[in-house]
Amino acid sequence: MRGDALSKGEASAGDVMELGLTTIRPHSPVEKLLESRSNQGVKSWLVSTSHGRLLGLLLRADAERALAAREAA
């Protein structure tokens, strides 16, 4: 619908927007990230400071693996 809505000139921002990257803080609990309904389908998170300084990228697969290892220990 995004391209079609734009070409017709009747689009709202919600019709044509795409979700951006999800940003988290380094202290965010991994369990909460993986359980959150708002993170369903998210494959990675940008990790940044509260001032917007990029610290890294957390992949869902890495978060799941780390959580499984911690639970197994």
Side-chain angles (χ1 to χ4, degrees), residues 1 4-5 14 17-19 22-25 27 29-30 39 44 52-53 56-58 66:
M1 169 159 199
D4 293 339
M17 72 179 202
E18 292 185 22
L19 295 177
T22 302
T23 305
I24 59 171
R25 300 292 175 252
H27 61 273
V30 172
N39 285 323
S44 62
R53 181 173 170 246
L57 179 70
L58 174 62

Side-chain angles (χ1 to χ4, degrees), residues 48-67:
S48 69
T49 67
S50 59
H51 297 295
R53 181 173 170 246
L54 178 64
L55 299 175
L57 179 70
L58 174 62
L59 301 176
R60 175 178 286 277
D62 292 340
E64 290 171 343
R65 195 169 21 260
L67 183 59

